[in-house]
């Protein structure tokens, strides 16, 4: 066994409990999460421009997010089983390489079916990334800091949505959306080098060592967490996928990048707060996160004609969304371990895909002003479940932190 493997595997031993968090590998993993979400969601920020250049409707172009998320959700469990014996670092490097190729094809292609095919391939690669990140973070950290390690690793998800997408939107306006996807390709290549140098390797699992993933559904708390994941992610993606179209309906399309930046700054604040408190305040933070998004949806549903109200709603939405990835990843792993994590990847991405599909149906049938009402209908039961599931899914005190 190599030195790097020994370092990674030894972090699960009690003797590692006094070590500091290894920031470089955790930040490399966070960047992999960033690239996975940026690759998936970047079309949301340049959707009208992509649709025009591809000669398709905006709802059709919105399916660029849907096909990616469907591929991730469908591939998560079978890919996890198929690659269980692979070396973990090899799998991670292969997935990031696929991101680079898919973004390059998107930057160069004018063929809609070809672009969608590589979006699907990138979605499969994302399934491999999501299956690895939380496990890596937990191995690299002592038990009492595992929540913080997950927070650092998964910070790449909201950062991609809150800063990466607004920046991509801004750059797309300056240089064109194709140049923006080209830049994302270069970042993916740089990330390959960082992972190679910084992230320790680990062997895969022995054949037969893994319990059936679906059995995790019988564990207390897992179903409740997955329901929250499904409804929260569906609500978020219905609105976020078509945020440019929603803003256009209120004559705020010219402020798209500023609106997303406000959302991004609020999300960064939420990431920081969540990272500092998740190990001790998981339940309270999840309740607040759900309530903030619920209030934001009410404001957007009733007062979106007022620009100040829109910005206030984006702040509340960002504060709610920024830490939710860490909160739900931590909750499902506490309840169901690695098997719960695999179920979360499938649930998250399936309902992320649902957001693009349902949003497209709402856009064609009821128009963009229907989006916040659908968010309200989804987030109300989310808040009820989080408050009610106080014993196993969202306990006051996390296991192992008493």
């Amino acid at each position: 066994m190599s030195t790097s493997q020994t370092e990674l595997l030894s972090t699960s031993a009690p003797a590692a409990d006094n070590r500091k968090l290894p920031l470089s590998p955790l930040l490399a993993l966070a960047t992999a999460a960033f690239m996975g979400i940026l690759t998936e969601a970047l079309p949301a920020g340049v959707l009208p421009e992509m649709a025009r250049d591809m000669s398709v409707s905006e709802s059709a172009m919105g399916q660029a997010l849907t096909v990616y998320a469907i591929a991730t959700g469908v591939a998560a469990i079978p890919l996890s089983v198929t690659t269980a014996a692979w070396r973990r670092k090899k799998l991670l490097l292969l997935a990031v390489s696929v991101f680079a190729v898919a973004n390059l094809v998107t930057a160069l292609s004018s063929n809609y079916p070809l672009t969608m095919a590589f979006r699907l391939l990138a979605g499969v690669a994302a399934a491999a990334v999501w299956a690895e990140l939380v496990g890596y973070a937990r191995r690299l950290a002592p038990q009492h800091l595992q929540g913080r390690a997950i927070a650092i690793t998964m910070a790449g998800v909201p950062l991609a949505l809150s800063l990466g997408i607004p920046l991509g939107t801004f750059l797309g306006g300056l240089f064109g959306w194709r140049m923006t996807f080209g830049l994302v390709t270069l970042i993916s290549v740089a990330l390959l080098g960082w992972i190679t140098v910084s992230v320790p390797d680990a062997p895969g699992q022995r054949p037969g060592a893994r319990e059936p993933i679906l059995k995790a559904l019988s564990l207390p708390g897992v179903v409740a967490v997955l329901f929250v994941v499904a409804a929260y992610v569906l609500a978020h993606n219905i609105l976020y996928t078509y945020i440019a179209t929603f803003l256009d309906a209120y004559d705020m399309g010219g402020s798209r990048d500023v609106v997303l930046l406000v959302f991004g700054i609020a999300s960064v604040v939420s990431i920081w707060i969540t990272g500092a408190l998740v190990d001790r305040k998981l339940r309270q933070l999840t309740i607040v996160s759900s309530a903030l998004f619920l209030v934001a949806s009410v404001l957007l549903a009733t007062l979106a004609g007022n620009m100040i109200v829109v910005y206030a709603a984006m702040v509340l939405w960002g504060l709610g969304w920024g830490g939710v990835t860490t909160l739900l990843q931590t909750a499902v792993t506490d309840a169901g371990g690695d098997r719960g994590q695999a179920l979360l990847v499938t649930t998250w991405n399936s309902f992320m895909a649902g957001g693009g599909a349902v949003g497209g149906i709402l856009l064609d049938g009821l128009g963009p002003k229907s989006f916040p009402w659908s968010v309200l209908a989804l987030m109300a039961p989310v808040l009820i479940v989080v408050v009610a599931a106080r014993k196993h899914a969202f306990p006051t005190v996390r296991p192992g932190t008493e």
Side-chain angles (χ1 to χ4, degrees), residues 41-269:
L42 183 56
V46 291
L47 194 64
E49 295 80 8
M50 289 187 72
R52 183 174 60 249
D53 288 356
M54 292 281 182
S55 299
V56 297
S57 68
E58 290 187 21
S59 59
M61 200 66 245
Q63 304 318 304
L65 284 79
T66 303
V67 70
Y68 185 110
I70 287 176
T72 304
V74 171
I77 292 177
L79 188 66
S80 180
V81 173
T82 301
T83 63
W86 291 26
R87 302 206 67 81
R88 302 295 90 188
K89 189 170 180 176
K90 172 186 175 182
L91 181 60
L92 188 60
L93 288 170
L94 178 60
V96 175
S97 298
V98 173
F99 289 159
V101 172
N103 283 309
L104 180 61
V105 170
T106 302
L108 298 176
S109 172
S110 295
N111 184 288
Y112 179 76
L114 177 65
T115 300
M116 298 298 274
F118 274 87
R119 296 282 300 168
L120 186 148
L121 184 61
V124 174
V129 171
W130 303 135
E132 293 305 305
L133 294 182
V134 171
Y136 255 123
R138 289 173 74 93
R139 290 187 189 99
L140 288 166
Q143 184 175 14
H144 69 286
L145 292 177
Q146 285 181 353
R148 190 169 299 177
I150 294 171
I152 293 171
T153 298
M154 300 313 297
V157 173
L159 281 174
L161 290 170
S162 56
L163 295 181
I165 305 302
L167 181 59
T169 303
F170 175 73
L171 293 175
L174 286 180
F175 305 112
W177 65 269
R178 293 186 185 277
M179 184 71 72
T180 303
F181 275 96
L183 178 60
V184 174
T185 301
L186 293 178
I187 297 173
S188 300
V189 173
L191 177 59
L192 289 172
W194 190 2
I195 293 173
T196 299
V197 171
S198 179
V199 177
D201 195 6
Q205 295 181 334
R206 297 187 306 274
R210 187 168 187 162
E211 296 184 44
I213 291 174
L214 292 179
K215 281 192 175 181
L217 291 171
S218 64
L219 298 174
V222 170
V223 171
V225 177
L226 293 178
F227 171 81
V228 171
V229 170
Y232 203 130
V233 170
L234 180 61
H236 172 82
N237 282 280
I238 286 172
L239 185 57
Y240 196 89
T241 300
Y242 297 99
I243 188 64
T245 307
F246 176 78
L247 294 174
D248 285 342
Y250 289 96
D251 299 321
M252 290 186 63
S255 303
R256 188 194 319 169
D257 53 349
V258 179
V259 170
L260 289 174
L261 180 61
V262 169
F263 173 84
I265 293 171
S267 295
V268 171
V269 173

